Amino acid sequence: MATENKVIIVTGGGSGIGRESAYKLAEQGNTIVIADFNEAGAKETVAQIEKSGGKATSYKLDVSKAEEVEALINFTVETYGTLNGIFNNAGIGLVKPFLEMDPASYHKVIDVDQHSVYYGMYYAAKKMVEIGAKGVFVNTASIYGTMAAKGSFNYNAAKAAVVMMSKSAALELAEHGIRVNGVAPGFIDTPILGEDKEMKDYLAAQHMHNRLIQPQQVAEVVAFLFSDAASAINGQTVPVDDGFLSFK
């Protein structure tokens, strides 16, 4: 199943889903570029990959800046000679009621969670077509890309866009040998949830097994989508939600 000897970028690879996906992809024999605004986190991910015998390097950037994403793509190809895929995973949340969702709050999430996915796919695809490389893109959407949640107007809008951008890009890039899919995680057990046990228990109860989903569980799906075993899956966003969207 594994896709070996590929060069893959993982944005937001300094923690959580990005980090675990980088570990899994490196374990399968791929070279990983860990791109994150959190430079220390990215370097820690690289250190763990190298400790396990894998190949990786870190790269600091702000994914909301088009020119920085373009520079990331160029750096990767200049360093490794090719590019075979990108996991557009970096994202943020900013919960506010709609009537308090001022333009600055709206654009802060849209720029990171939506526009960065476009930048990643656009600049990666341009470069891959230029050098004749084929590969796979995977984008992190969310369960809230297909259903609404109070206080998340900006996040809902961004993640819904990621679902459709994955479909649209898949349609246009298929002729160039590039597959595009997404993952839609449920509630993931990462530090972003904080230490409020009552809240974490509430979120866990939204899943069929009444427990939070581990980042490693999402990473398994991400690695599968990058693999040749998923060659017939294209333009899809796969829920990793322990049944949330099936009964909510």
Side-chain angles (χ1 to χ4, degrees):
M1 184 184 80
T3 299
E4 300 176 353
N5 301 316
K6 304 297 184 184
V7 177
I8 300 172
I9 295 169
V10 176
T11 70
S15 62
I17 293 171
R19 169 174 284 176
E20 294 299 329
S21 297
Y23 288 163
K24 188 67 181 178
L25 290 166
E27 178 186 301
Q28 293 178 342
N30 300 296
T31 298
I32 314 300
V33 177
I34 310 298
D36 204 307
F37 186 76
N38 176 5
E39 187 174 20
K43 288 183 175 180
E44 183 179 342
T45 302
V46 170
Q48 288 300 315
I49 289 174
E50 292 179 338
K51 184 178 179 180
S52 299
K55 298 178 182 178
T57 190
S58 64
Y59 188 94
K60 182 178 179 179
L61 85 164
D62 179 348
V63 294
S64 71
K65 307 295 185 185
E67 64 275 13
E68 294 193 23
V69 178
E70 182 179 20
L72 164 67
I73 302 302
N74 290 334
F75 164 82
T76 301
V77 174
E78 289 166 5
T79 302
Y80 295 109
T82 192
L83 175 63
N84 307 107
I86 184 168
F87 179 26
N88 291 299
N89 167 72
I92 60 171
L94 181 62
V95 177
K96 280 188 177 184
F98 178 70
L99 293 178
E100 297 175 19
M101 188 65 65
D102 56 278
S105 299
Y106 172 78
H107 284 292
K108 183 174 183 178
V109 171
I110 293 295
D111 286 346
V112 174
D113 292 8
Q114 177 183 340
H115 293 166
S116 74
V117 175
Y118 156 65
Y119 299 149
M121 291 196 295
Y122 175 73
Y123 289 113
K126 292 276 284 187
K127 181 60 70 173
M128 289 168 68
V129 170
E130 176 188 322
I131 64 177
K134 298 182 181 182
V136 180
F137 298 162
V138 178
N139 304 317
T140 297
S142 169
I143 51 175
Y144 288 141
T146 54
M147 65 174 294
K150 287 184 176 180
S152 296
F153 179 84
N154 48 5
Y155 190 80
N156 290 152
K159 294 304 186 178
V162 170
V163 172
M164 185 51 68
M165 287 195 297
S166 298
K167 290 178 181 290
S168 183
L171 180 63
E172 297 213 35
L173 296 177
E175 65 182 281
H176 300 290
I178 299 173
R179 270 193 308 116
V180 186
N181 288 298
V183 288
F187 300 109
I188 311 300
D189 188 11
T190 65
I192 197 171
L193 293 183
E195 299 301 324
D196 187 334
K197 185 177 185 305
E198 184 177 347
M199 175 58 72
K200 291 174 81 169
D201 288 345
Y202 169 77
L203 294 176
Q206 307 305 303
H207 299 143
M208 283 187 177
H209 288 96
N210 296 304
R211 62 192 179 207
L212 295 173
I213 297 166
Q214 297 302 308
Q216 297 92 327
Q217 293 175 287
V218 183
E220 292 283 352
V221 177
V222 171
F224 169 71
L225 291 173
F226 271 105
S227 76
D228 293 339
S231 61
I233 302 176
N234 206 4
Q236 303 301 310
T237 296
V238 180
V240 189
D241 64 346
D242 193 14
F244 179 91
L245 293 174
S246 297
F247 64 90
K248 290 298 177 183

